[in-house]
Amino acid sequence: DGGITQSPKYLFRKEGQNVTLSCEQNLNHDAMYWYRQDPGQGLRLIYYSQIVNDFQKGDIAEGYSVSREKKESFPLTVTSAQKNPTAFYLCASSIQQGTGEAFFGQGTRLTVV
Amino acid sequence: RKEVEQDPGPFNVPEGATVAFNCTYSNSASQSFFWYRQDCRKEPKLLMSVYSSGNEDGRFTAQLNRASQYISLLIRDSKLSDSATYLCVVTRRAGGFKTIFGAGTRLFVKA
């Protein structure tokens, strides 16, 4: 079955640690995105990528980094520079950026302990 | 002011009621419009696209008013299973395309 997979589902991070969230899709989509969602709030764009080896900052990129070495994969690293990383992180993909339906992974819930 | 604004609710309605959500967008260059549904602690999923002529999918009707820059979602004969957060989504050109999500409107349907 085609889809988009995020792992892990739950992640606990100690203060000062970097952690990497995985996102893999087998939909052959060019565009991939990372969003952050805080309780009772909408989705805020962290980074997006329109094509392999290219990515752009979204609205809240500070403290995060990404790579897009393969079409299928768009991992997000939450660095120690991100001061308030506890949130629900959603990865999505679409055929092209901004067009048509965006398909989401099931999300990673990150908690700083 | 946010580019896409929705009434956060919550809307509490009895089963069988009709409920309407509005969403306003501030950028007149917005091109595509969607409603997504998000269940508690789950990922958003596309409910329906919104077309200029309006469109219907079973109990759900979506409408777009470009002149006033708002879109609406009408749910008829509400079911308990309709309880969720409904996200308004707008795309527009910004270099490439940009997709903007509203904060969502929470709906609770009660027996």
Side-chain angles (χ1 to χ4, degrees):
Chain A
D1 286 339
I4 182 164
T5 303
Q6 287 185 243
S7 62
K9 191 172 182 180
Y10 298 97
L11 185 58
F12 296 90
R13 190 195 94 167
K14 291 183 180 178
E15 288 199 26
Q17 274 186 338
N18 291 355
V19 291
T20 298
L21 283 57
S22 170
C23 178
E24 304 276 333
Q25 55 99 359
N26 60 4
L27 299 166
N28 200 33
H29 286 169
D30 284 317
M32 297 187 74
Y33 318 81
W34 274 105
Y35 292 93
R36 168 181 173 142
Q37 188 174 36
D38 293 283
Q41 308 230 355
L43 279 65
R44 292 184 291 167
L45 182 64
I46 304 172
Y47 267 98
Y48 63 95
S49 169
Q50 299 182 64
I51 199 167
V52 174
N53 292 321
D54 178 71
F55 49 83
Q56 307 292 330
K57 292 182 179 180
D59 301 315
I60 55 164
E62 186 175 350
Y64 300 97
S65 66
V66 293
S67 62
R68 186 87 186 275
E69 296 176 2
K70 297 186 299 182
K71 188 175 186 177
E72 301 80 18
S73 179
F74 191 40
L76 173 74
T77 296
V78 184
T79 74
S80 57
Q82 172 48 240
K83 298 305 177 190
N84 185 21
T86 295
F88 187 44
Y89 290 87
L90 287 158
C91 179
S93 70
S94 63
I95 293 174
Q96 292 179 345
Q97 189 211 355
T99 61
E101 179 179 0
F103 292 82
F104 284 84
Q106 292 187 314
T108 294
R109 202 163 292 277
L110 173 63
T111 303
V112 173
V113 297
Chain B
R1 183 189 172 195
K2 293 181 180 177
E3 185 167 347
V4 177
E5 297 214 62
Q6 297 182 248
D7 182 341
F11 285 59
N12 294 288
V13 302
E15 270 188 296
T18 295
V19 60
F21 306 136
N22 286 330
C23 167
T24 58
Y25 59 95
S26 60
N27 195 311
S28 58
S30 299
Q31 295 187 288
S32 301
F33 309 88
F34 308 90
W35 284 102
Y36 278 71
R37 171 192 168 128
Q38 185 175 23
D39 292 300
C40 188
R41 303 176 75 83
K42 300 281 191 179
E43 75 276 20
K45 293 184 179 178
L46 180 68
L47 178 66
M48 58 198 303
S49 302
V50 187
Y51 303 118
S52 296
S53 55
N55 47 301
E56 189 173 304
D57 183 2
R59 298 180 294 108
F60 298 85
T61 300
Q63 297 213 316
L64 166 64
N65 185 320
R66 285 192 183 271
S68 300
Q69 296 183 193
Y70 78 83
I71 68 174
S72 64
L73 178 68
L74 183 76
I75 305 175
R76 290 182 299 278
D77 189 23
S78 299
K79 312 292 185 189
L80 294 176
S81 57
D82 293 334
S83 297
T85 297
Y86 291 84
L87 304 173
C88 171
V89 181
V90 173
T91 67
R92 63 170 171 84
R93 278 202 178 275
F97 280 93
K98 187 170 183 179
T99 301
I100 305 104
F101 282 78
T105 299
R106 295 193 72 184
L107 172 66
F108 294 102
V109 181
K110 302 172 293 184

